[in-house]
Amino acid sequence: MSAYPIAIYGNGLFQDGYPNPPVPYTQQAAQLNAGITTVILWSIHIHPGGDLYLNDTLFVSGGQIKYAADGTSGVNPNFPALVKALMAGGGSVRDLIVSVGAWGTTSDFTAWLDARDQVKANLGALVSAFGVTGVDFDYESQDGYTKDDQAMIVALTLDVGSMGLYATYCPYTATSFWTGCLADVYAQNGQKQVVKWMNLQCYAGGSGNSPTDWADAVRATPDTGVTDADAFIVPGFAVLGADGFGPEQMQETFAGFAGTGITGGFLWNSSGIWSTEVSGGGKPTPADYAQAITNGLAATAKPRETVEA
């Protein structure tokens, strides 16, 4: 059995390098399905009016996926087949999430707030076309986390839940802000939690984070609807090619969490793996990192809490 979730932020997945990626797209899908359980499309940016972009490429507008017709605009026209191979390939992948935001892009969320109905329609197109199951909130404020920010994140989380999707949060700081969001979502959603887990950044600005401290903070916050705070925290680390480290050190790092109740982890990010795979003669692959997380935790698969949006 493997740890769960083993997530990866798919940096421009199936789009990076289009039409000539460093690792063929079909090979990327097959490799992810050899150990990764959760693929997170990163990053979705929301422009004024509610259009969704995959990084800098128009992805969804007016409830329609925008595919490249000339090789220069729109997303890879093979996207549907690649996602089908990813999700219906009989492999390890069971969740497909889209992540909104990144460092320095809080405007994604204010644009979302200003065009909530259109964003719902555009997210609905991704659900229909690709079977997206959730939305990750990568909200990284550069000027503090205010009560207005919290109200915005809660409102948008509830929008996600109203679509029958779940949310994940991807914090790197501001513990009380994020636990406050959890409590408000739970209170405003009839005591049903929409957020399935937190992808805790333990690299870059979050390099000093302790997953067990964050679990303690969730546990200490009344009325969040989270019954297993330790499993709720999913720590993530950068890989080789993304200013991080390789599978051996990944295993050592996760071994430090063995026995704490943490059941999974995430990898930052796919393009880092593809770049070092090319330069390293085919190694390491996503499966090598996934196995490192499992070996480190010495964990068996554990069902996630039910999310009743």
Side-chain angles (χ1 to χ4, degrees), residues 8-288:
I8 190 168
Y9 278 79
N11 182 11
L13 189 66
F14 304 148
Q15 183 64 30
D16 242 18
Y18 176 77
N20 299 302
V23 173
Y25 295 127
T26 53
Q27 189 175 332
Q28 292 181 16
Q31 288 186 357
L32 292 170
N33 249 325
I36 301 297
T37 71
T38 305
V39 174
I40 305 171
L41 287 180
W42 185 89
S43 176
I44 300 297
H45 297 303
I46 301 177
H47 287 216
D51 286 352
L52 308 184
Y53 281 67
L54 180 57
N55 292 327
D56 296 327
T57 302
L58 181 62
F59 197 7
V60 193
S61 180
Q64 300 293 320
I65 312 293
K66 299 299 181 180
Y67 297 108
D70 57 5
T72 60
S73 61
V75 295
N76 181 355
N78 292 322
F79 218 96
L82 291 163
V83 172
K84 182 178 180 180
L86 187 69
M87 300 301 295
S92 58
V93 176
R94 61 179 93 167
D95 303 299
L96 180 64
I97 301 174
V98 295
S99 181
V100 176
W103 174 251
T105 64
T106 55
S107 59
D108 291 335
F109 296 88
T110 53
W112 184 354
L113 191 66
D114 289 341
R116 292 165 70 178
D117 289 342
Q118 189 57 57
V119 173
K120 275 189 178 182
N122 288 338
L123 288 174
L126 295 178
V127 173
S128 298
F130 306 129
V132 165
T133 53
V135 178
D136 181 67
F137 285 66
D138 189 5
Y139 183 73
E140 303 186 25
S141 176
Q142 294 172 274
D143 55 3
Y145 293 78
T146 68
K147 289 183 178 180
D148 286 344
D149 293 340
Q150 184 167 318
M152 175 178 67
I153 295 300
V154 169
L156 299 179
T157 303
L158 293 172
D159 279 359
V160 168
S162 73
M163 298 178 65
L165 304 176
Y166 61 81
T168 57
Y169 288 162
C170 184
Y172 79 96
T173 190
T175 312
S176 61
F177 172 85
W178 291 104
T179 57
C181 288
L182 290 176
D184 286 354
V185 168
Y186 187 66
Q188 295 179 36
N189 195 46
Q191 295 189 315
K192 296 177 181 178
Q193 185 53 260
V194 177
V195 184
K196 199 170 186 179
W197 67 72
M198 280 187 180
N199 291 308
L200 177 64
Q201 299 179 49
C202 298
Y203 53 90
S207 59
N209 276 327
S210 164
T212 53
D213 286 351
W214 278 73
D216 287 343
V218 172
R219 199 167 9 251
T221 304
D223 300 323
T224 63
V226 177
T227 59
D228 188 342
D230 299 300
F232 190 76
I233 302 300
V234 178
F237 296 87
V239 301
L240 288 174
D243 297 324
F245 42 78
E248 183 176 353
Q249 190 174 347
M250 194 72 68
Q251 181 168 328
E252 292 173 0
T253 299
F254 277 89
F257 307 137
T260 63
I262 289 170
T263 67
F266 78 82
L267 302 167
W268 174 262
N269 59 56
S270 64
S271 62
I273 295 179
W274 310 140
S275 67
T276 55
E277 189 176 328
V278 170
S279 63
K283 288 284 186 177
T285 68
D288 295 322

